[in-house]
Amino acid sequence: MLHMDYVTQKLLGIQDLNITFREDWLTFRKDKRSRLAQIIEGSLEKRPSCCPSCGVIWESTKDVYAHGTTPKKRQIQLTEIDNKPVYLELTVRRFKCRHCSVVSANHLPNHFVKRRKSISVKLHLKILLELKDTTCIKKIASICKTGYQIVYRTSLELTNYVKNLEPGPLPRVLAIDEFKATQDCEGSMAFIAMNWESGQIHTILDDRRTHKLLEFFNGYSYEERCKVEFVVMDMNAAYDSMVKKVFPKALVVIDRFHIVQQLTNAFKNVRIQEMNQLNRYSGEEAKKYRRLKRFWKLLQKNYSDLSSEAKYHSLFQRYLSAQDIALELIDYSPVLKEAWNLYQLLLGYFKDRNADYFFDLIRESQNSEILPQSFRDKLAFLLKKEESIRLALSVPYNNGLVEGTNNKIKLLKRSAFGFRKHEHLFARIYWMQTPAVHSI
């Protein structure tokens, strides 16, 4: 019997395992999935140091003797090489204890392969690394050149791993939101809370209803809940009342994206109302309608961000810049012009984080006789959240971290064609946000 050279063993990750190899240790044949695989043949001859049953130390043949080999060769899948699966196929020597007559065999070390596993630790870690992405299980099995069930069982191990995790201490800055999970959730939407400073998930609950959130957060001591200084969220009124009950010293910070979204939706409704009053089928009004429908995005943007470079536009039959088009479109309606001017001023003040001018302008707009009541009501809603919005303009916190995680959740659900149980989905979400990959 000849040993494989050490460099090759190191390349394959099977060095120092007490395995001996024949001269023709590499063969090619089809595996049980009918794929051409590379088979590395060897034998594990070394006897254990003691009897696993009675504990007697085996020092000589007076204590133990060889008792044939295991009925079946042990096959362990390694990481793929040259886009082909690789298997280590071992003939394992058995030994019989003379003291208790128990037959046993030596085991490979846990750093190479875990007990009752058919894949190496390296391949196991590679699967875990792939599970950190939004890739579906079938695709991961194809990438790792292994079976679907192996990857699926690894993902189930993630579920058990997450179940045993205990929620950590409450962070100083807590970002909260909801997302659509699975049908077996108790509520229509799931709840997610993240540590804004570390970027890690604090908790995921399968119910976003207030009584469930109160039950969870009240599980922390009063002193622990007092450590939360800021809670970043959208304009959900239920969350607002929950935060005031649970976190006595926390300040609510409204996400700046949702503030701008409130402004854009208010102006968009005015534009649609004015468009619907035009005759879209004939005459000059039909041209105005087509232009508003074609270039409506220019009105939604900040005027200072529009291009001043003139281009030819067939709907106007002349050269115009994006800024020129926006100015011409608002002249089609005095209501649209008044709402657009107010909208642009509010965007400018918000961008400059000038809270005084921002809210003064909203208050003045409530007395306008030109602006529609629906538009003024949407702006008045911001006055109810004035304290939180002022805080949002003075601190660097936002909900971009949670929104980005929610987007990854949507991609994960789409690539996996949905999840049947929320435990499996939550485990993948936790694992995707784990900073390091380790064996479980």
Side-chain angles (χ1 to χ4, degrees):
M1 303 289 283
L2 297 176
H3 284 282
M4 183 192 301
D5 64 275
Y6 182 77
V7 176
T8 306
Q9 290 187 35
K10 190 174 181 180
L11 179 66
L12 297 172
I14 54 178
Q15 72 272 23
D16 301 328
L17 299 180
N18 301 310
I19 301 174
T20 55
F21 300 92
R22 296 197 304 268
E23 188 172 358
D24 53 341
W25 49 268
L26 180 64
T27 59
F28 292 86
R29 67 169 182 264
K30 289 188 177 182
D31 61 5
K32 60 183 179 181
R33 298 179 183 87
S34 301
R35 300 173 302 185
L36 184 62
Q38 304 175 77
I39 311 296
I40 300 172
E41 296 183 354
S43 58
L44 184 60
E45 301 283 346
K46 186 180 179 180
R47 74 183 184 197
S49 59
C50 63
C51 178
S53 178
C54 64
V56 174
I57 297 176
W58 291 340
E59 296 179 348
S60 64
T61 55
K62 293 180 180 180
D63 302 312
V64 63
Y65 62 92
H67 195 265
T69 59
T70 53
K72 294 178 67 176
K73 292 182 179 181
R74 184 173 185 188
Q75 195 174 72
I76 303 161
Q77 186 173 359
L78 310 179
T79 53
E80 56 91 18
I81 297 177
D82 195 22
N83 205 30
K84 294 184 180 65
V86 181
Y87 295 92
L88 176 63
E89 198 170 73
L90 295 177
T91 301
V92 183
R93 176 70 62 186
R94 298 194 304 182
F95 299 91
K96 189 170 184 178
C97 180
R98 293 185 182 274
H99 300 276
C100 63
S101 301
V102 172
V103 178
S104 60
N106 203 355
H107 295 283
L108 291 170
N110 281 333
H111 67 78
F112 177 71
V113 59
K114 292 188 176 182
R115 297 287 178 90
R116 301 181 180 86
K117 291 285 186 181
S118 61
I119 60 174
S120 66
V121 171
K122 272 191 173 182
L123 182 56
H124 181 68
L125 290 174
K126 184 177 181 180
I127 293 173
L128 290 176
L129 183 63
E130 294 292 340
L131 286 171
K132 285 182 67 65
D133 203 356
T134 57
T135 313
C136 66
I137 291 178
K138 189 174 182 179
K139 182 65 176 178
I140 294 174
S142 175
I143 293 172
C144 298
K145 302 301 179 208
T146 187
Y148 173 88
Q149 288 297 327
I150 291 176
V151 182
Y152 179 70
R153 283 195 296 268
T154 305
S155 68
L156 292 183
E157 291 174 7
L158 285 179
T159 305
N160 297 328
Y161 168 76
V162 169
K163 283 182 179 179
N164 296 327
L165 288 177
E166 295 183 0
L170 288 170
R172 190 179 70 90
V173 183
L174 189 68
I176 61 176
D177 202 1
E178 69 275 342
F179 65 94
K180 186 67 177 177
T182 55
Q183 291 185 353
D184 67 329
C185 287
E186 291 186 23
S188 60
M189 302 282 279
F191 175 82
I192 181 171
M194 300 186 69
N195 185 335
W196 191 91
E197 293 177 315
S198 68
Q200 299 305 306
I201 293 176
H202 177 72
T203 187
I204 302 178
L205 304 177
D206 63 339
D207 197 340
R208 66 164 181 174
R209 289 177 293 181
T210 304
H211 70 279
K212 288 289 185 179
L213 301 183
L214 291 174
E215 179 183 346
F216 174 78
F217 286 112
N218 283 329
Y220 291 90
S221 65
Y222 179 81
E223 292 76 14
E224 184 74 17
R225 288 184 277 124
C226 287
K227 293 180 181 179
V228 180
E229 298 179 13
F230 299 96
V231 177
V232 189
M233 50 177 273
D234 54 21
M235 297 185 185
N236 192 318
Y239 290 163
D240 198 358
S241 62
M242 181 272 296
V243 168
K244 292 177 181 177
K245 294 177 182 178
V246 174
F247 307 113
K249 296 184 179 180
L251 299 175
V252 175
V253 180
I254 299 294
D255 182 39
R256 291 188 290 275
F257 167 79
H258 291 90
I259 302 171
V260 176
Q261 187 182 52
Q262 182 76 5
L263 295 175
T264 55
N265 288 339
F267 175 72
K268 182 181 70 174
N269 291 339
V270 174
R271 176 183 55 80
I272 293 174
Q273 290 175 11
E274 294 302 305
M275 283 177 58
N276 291 337
Q277 294 180 11
L278 298 173
N279 185 353
R280 68 184 72 178
Y281 300 109
S282 62
E284 189 65 25
E285 289 190 356
K287 292 182 180 179
K288 294 179 180 180
Y289 180 87
R290 288 195 297 271
R291 292 168 182 171
L292 284 169
K293 192 172 183 64
R294 173 74 178 274
F295 298 102
W296 65 272
K297 289 184 179 180
L298 299 181
L299 297 179
Q300 298 288 134
K301 292 182 179 180
N302 195 322
Y303 181 76
S304 60
D305 295 335
L306 297 178
S307 173
S308 59
E309 181 182 354
K311 295 181 181 179
Y312 183 80
H313 297 278
S314 58
L315 280 178
F316 296 92
Q317 296 183 353
R318 64 183 187 274
Y319 284 86
L320 291 172
S321 67
Q323 292 181 346
D324 296 334
I325 293 175
L327 293 176
E328 180 164 339
L329 292 179
I330 62 174
D331 284 335
Y332 293 164
S333 166
V335 176
L336 185 64
K337 186 173 185 178
E338 183 74 13
W340 185 81
N341 287 329
L342 177 61
Y343 170 67
Q344 291 296 324
L345 285 173
L346 290 174
L347 287 181
Y349 292 146
F350 189 82
K351 186 177 181 180
D352 296 337
R353 302 203 174 192
N354 194 328
D356 293 334
Y357 286 177
F358 181 81
F359 286 105
D360 288 344
L361 189 58
I362 292 178
R363 290 189 180 92
E364 292 176 6
S365 67
Q366 300 303 304
N367 301 323
S368 174
E369 298 179 356
I370 299 178
L371 296 174
Q373 185 63 42
S374 59
F375 181 74
R376 286 180 285 162
D377 289 343
K378 284 186 175 294
L379 296 184
F381 178 76
L382 297 176
L383 295 175
K384 300 178 182 179
K385 307 285 184 179
E386 182 174 353
E387 182 181 354
S388 299
I389 294 174
R390 284 181 178 273
L391 189 61
L393 295 176
S394 61
V395 295
Y397 311 127
N398 58 64
N399 241 10
L401 178 68
V402 182
E403 296 294 346
T405 303
N406 286 349
N407 185 53
K408 290 180 69 175
I409 294 172
K410 291 178 183 178
L411 293 175
L412 175 63
K413 290 170 59 181
R414 188 181 301 119
S415 65
F417 297 95
F419 283 80
R420 185 172 297 175
K421 296 183 179 180
H422 67 271
E423 290 92 348
H424 298 169
L425 174 62
F426 292 177
R428 283 292 298 273
I429 297 169
Y430 273 110
W431 189 248
M432 285 163 56
Q433 293 298 108
T434 305
V437 177
H438 51 85
S439 182
I440 59 174

